Amino acid sequence: MDKNKLSIQSYKGTRDFYPQDMSYRNWYFSTVRHVVESYGYEEYHSPLLESYDIYAAKSGDEVANEQLYLFKDKGGRKVAIRPEMTPSVARMVAARLESLTLPLRWYSIANFLRYEKPQKGRLREHWQVNVDILGSEEIEADLEIILVITSIMRAFHADDAMFRIKIGNRKFFNDVLTDILKVKKEQVGVISKAVDKKTKLSKEKYHEWLKDIGLTGKTIEQLEEIFSLSFAEITRMMGIDSEGAQELYKLFLLLQKIGLDTYCEFDFSIIRGFDYYTGTVFEVYDTSVENRRSLFGGGRYDNLVGMFKDITISGIGFGLGDVTFQQFLELHNLIPVDIIKQKKVLIARFLDISFEHCFTLSEELRKANIANTIYLSPDHKLGKQIRFAEKKGFSVLLILGEDELKKGKVTIKHLDSRTQIQVERGLCIEKIKELL
Ligand code: HAM
């Protein structure tokens, strides 16, 4: 490597998106966009930079302290690059509360930065589709969010053997801990943090963490047993009427009624890392063991808008990450081959034909919505221009030489089928449309 040259690597944990990657990404985003808009969700967006305070309050230690890209701006403000969208959407809702008609169905597609150790399924910059309902406490809102997830999966032709929606409930988790395990209320938060990290830690480390919190060996054993029990078995052990249990019960009943229960399962260990979740929490997993991290993550948050205004507006939604989702689509062969190849037209150039002839043809095609490009070097031989067109994946090469101009015709070289025809200039657009 030449030591005088700068590195060609993008910043650690980020990706460059070359045109081919953008073809994939645009296809992926437009497929999701189409689904969420079909449910009436409206798109919003927020700035890349936010005040540190909006993460400090309720995002939880991991994101707010360990993973935040944080700096002081020239005015001395503590500024963060957004690591997620939910606090921003809560801020936006709080800012226009008087003029917004609730409930809101909003979605966004944006990039986020988290200072993480880059590894499979985890990068420093990733993109998320965020879909949220704000201003409804109805369990039907929880149901709709799950419904949107299954619709997105179906739009990519994923079947129920390929993914699982694992659903838990924060209130239920807290009730089980205090009612069955007799854990002190103030210990619940830290225990949930340990449980959230359970699958990422060795058994020893996880147990050590629980012991440090103050759990006895017996309580740790009991907690372990609860993970293996069904929802009905856990509720039978409870001595209280748990609101979280009621919510889970109603949600699963509705899911069953509309036939979505085949995709879903109750999972006591789904906690979610953010402190702001208060009710339903869920994660969507690829069933393939090669893609272990969640595809979607989300849940209900009752108090986020309350950080900005003296009001309680409940929200529920999810973030769908692009990194694990691409792995999912690749593993299950769900990316169509033709999204990469754009059908394009190239207009050849010749030294004895002036540029304006090609320009006029190009403009006519563009008006007819046929994307086209004019070759830049008239001194290149036709063979070289054809090779260029093939390499670049053009489907059609148009030849407007001396002979064609004299006859009022255009030669259309269809590169995909390696055939060639000469047509009247007036019929050119129609013929190209047939070929593309
Ligand atoms: P989250 O679980 O942190 O939730 O992120 C949602 C999804 O984004 C994850 O399931 C994962 O696919 C992806 N993701 C997160 N971090 C990374 C990373 N470092 N690299 C690659 N992919 C990543 C939230 O962000 C919530 N704010 C979502 C939400 C919306 N909850 C309610 N509404």
Side-chain angles (χ1 to χ4, degrees), residues 84-86 114 116 121-124 126 128 130-132 272 274 276-277 294-299 301 317-321 323-324:
E84 56 147 339
M85 190 54 107
T86 319
R114 296 182 190 179
E116 292 198 41
R122 221 70 195 167
L123 294 175
R124 289 193 173 163
H126 74 285
Q128 257 183 40
N130 273 263
V131 176
D132 289 86
R272 310 270 305 130
F274 298 107
Y276 51 71
Y277 291 115
S294 65
L295 309 172
F296 302 63
Y301 45 96
F318 63 78
L320 159 61
V323 182
T324 43

Side-chain angles (χ1 to χ4, degrees), residues 64-133:
N65 294 324
E66 292 162 33
Q67 298 179 346
L68 210 57
Y69 278 83
L70 189 62
F71 61 95
K72 264 205 179 134
D73 73 4
K74 288 178 182 164
R77 297 170 200 89
K78 235 176 152 185
V79 179
I81 299 178
R82 59 171 181 232
E84 56 147 339
M85 190 54 107
T86 319
S88 301
V89 75
R91 181 183 56 70
M92 285 172 67
V93 172
R96 295 264 174 101
L97 209 52
E98 290 73 24
S99 59
L100 293 169
T101 307
L102 304 178
L104 306 168
R105 285 180 170 82
W106 281 7
Y107 82 95
S108 63
I109 302 177
N111 53 338
F112 300 94
L113 277 154
R114 296 182 190 179
Y115 195 79
E116 292 198 41
K117 190 170 164 228
Q119 53 193 291
K120 199 171 179 205
R122 221 70 195 167
L123 294 175
R124 289 193 173 163
E125 184 190 43
H126 74 285
W127 290 71
Q128 257 183 40
V129 179
N130 273 263
V131 176
D132 289 86
I133 300 179

